[in-house]
Amino acid sequence: MISKLTKKSLEEFLQTGERLDGRKVDEFRNVKIEYGVSEKAEGSALVTLGETQVAAGIKLDVGEPFPDTPNQGVLMTNAELTPMSSEFFEPGPPDENSIEVARVIDRCIREAEIVDLEKLAIEPGEKVWMVFADIYTINAAGNLFDAGALAVMAALMNAKLPRFEDGVVIREELKDPLPLTGKVISTTFAKIGNVVVTDPSDVEEKLMDARMTLGIRDGNIVAVQKGGEGGFVSDEIEDMIDRAIKHSKQLVKQLR
């Protein structure tokens, strides 16, 4: 817990347009993307966002489609907030925080229709490719939403389909890339007092009154998730949309 005095001091400091780590209120931390970090996954990536590090792996298997989408493959997203990445994360089954991270990232990827699920049908109604996106925190220093979404996007781009023959998945032969339709970027904002900051650090997340995550594809909003007990006024929402579109153009360039 952070004292009310610390929160008040940070709010006053933010009024100057500066942040504790030296950034402007509308500034992302440095981003680094590494591809193919796991030999066991069909696709993988490691994203470093400031001091936050998140790895994502893609596993592909063959299974049955959902009854309401018999001609489409399946996409599932899971997040594991590992105890080694933060003293606030505990071992055991997924808690509400890991479920929220997975849900927000899944919505961003799914609503942007990044994976062409219809092309993952092997035998419509019988067999389809199932895409499992697993997210693991290496170091949690704020904004796991954007780091995780970027890691999943990079891992999807890095993934290759195994060969499926005579009912057997042959993982030793990875050839065709996943059928992707584009790229989506997640941008998260935190409101502290009456100031809205981009890409909140861990300290800023602990002090925030409200949070907003926007998924942007090709300059359009595809997903929105609000968190925290506070709210945003219309001018703040319009400003966040403008910031998210601007940052998405910059981050898309960093995805190969």
Side-chain angles (χ1 to χ4, degrees):
M1 300 298 292
I2 296 178
S3 69
K4 292 182 179 180
L5 180 60
T6 302
K7 186 177 189 300
K8 187 174 186 301
S9 297
L10 179 60
E11 290 177 359
E12 292 175 351
F13 188 72
L14 287 173
Q15 294 295 328
T16 67
E18 299 285 345
R19 297 160 75 174
L20 294 179
D21 56 11
R23 288 184 289 157
K24 304 294 184 182
V25 293
D26 179 26
E27 189 176 349
F28 257 88
R29 290 168 290 179
N30 291 331
V31 175
K32 180 182 179 182
I33 305 172
E34 301 175 59
Y35 298 84
V37 296
S38 171
E39 295 181 358
K40 303 300 182 182
E42 275 74 69
S44 59
L46 174 67
V47 166
T48 303
L49 177 60
E51 294 182 353
T52 295
Q53 276 197 321
V54 176
I58 304 297
K59 290 298 292 183
L60 297 161
D61 211 341
V62 175
E64 296 182 2
F66 292 125
D68 57 338
T69 54
N71 300 322
Q72 294 183 10
V74 175
L75 172 66
M76 301 183 70
T77 306
N78 174 68
E80 185 171 340
L81 308 186
T82 61
M84 71 174 181
S85 65
S86 171
E87 67 271 25
F88 299 106
F89 301 157
E90 299 180 354
D95 62 7
E96 61 181 15
N97 294 313
S98 59
I99 292 172
E100 183 181 27
V101 170
R103 183 181 293 130
V104 172
I105 294 173
D106 182 86
R107 181 178 294 124
C108 185
I109 299 294
R110 189 182 302 276
E111 294 302 323
E113 299 181 346
I114 292 301
V115 183
D116 190 341
L117 296 177
E118 291 187 355
K119 291 185 178 179
L120 294 180
I122 301 171
E123 297 176 16
E126 298 291 335
K127 292 184 178 66
V128 298
W129 283 108
M130 306 184 74
V131 183
F132 299 94
D134 293 315
I135 304 159
Y136 300 92
T137 57
I138 308 300
N139 190 52
N143 197 8
L144 295 176
F145 298 105
D146 295 352
L150 196 60
V152 171
M153 187 68 248
L156 288 170
M157 294 170 63
N158 179 248
K160 298 289 193 300
L161 281 166
R163 189 157 63 91
F164 182 67
E165 187 175 297
D166 298 326
V168 178
V169 177
I170 305 174
R171 301 188 186 281
E172 292 76 18
E173 299 184 23
L174 302 178
K175 183 178 179 182
D176 296 325
L178 278 178
L180 304 182
T181 64
K183 302 171 185 177
V184 64
I185 297 295
S186 166
T187 303
T188 297
F189 305 90
K191 183 175 181 180
I192 304 170
N194 62 357
V195 178
V196 177
V197 299
T198 305
D199 176 28
S201 65
D202 51 349
V203 173
E204 291 169 338
E205 285 183 334
K206 292 180 177 68
L207 294 171
M208 69 183 182
D209 302 299
R211 185 191 68 240
M212 184 79 78
T213 299
L214 300 175
I216 303 292
R217 174 179 173 171
D218 300 328
N220 297 309
I221 302 171
V222 295
V224 180
Q225 179 73 24
K226 157 117 176 14
E229 297 180 356
F232 298 93
V233 299
S234 58
D235 288 345
E236 291 170 339
I237 294 174
E238 292 177 4
D239 181 56
M240 287 187 291
I241 293 173
D242 291 340
R243 291 195 209 178
I245 293 173
K246 181 188 72 173
H247 287 301
S248 69
K249 294 177 180 178
Q250 297 169 348
L251 292 174
V252 157
K253 296 177 181 178
Q254 294 190 245
L255 287 165
R256 285 208 304 252

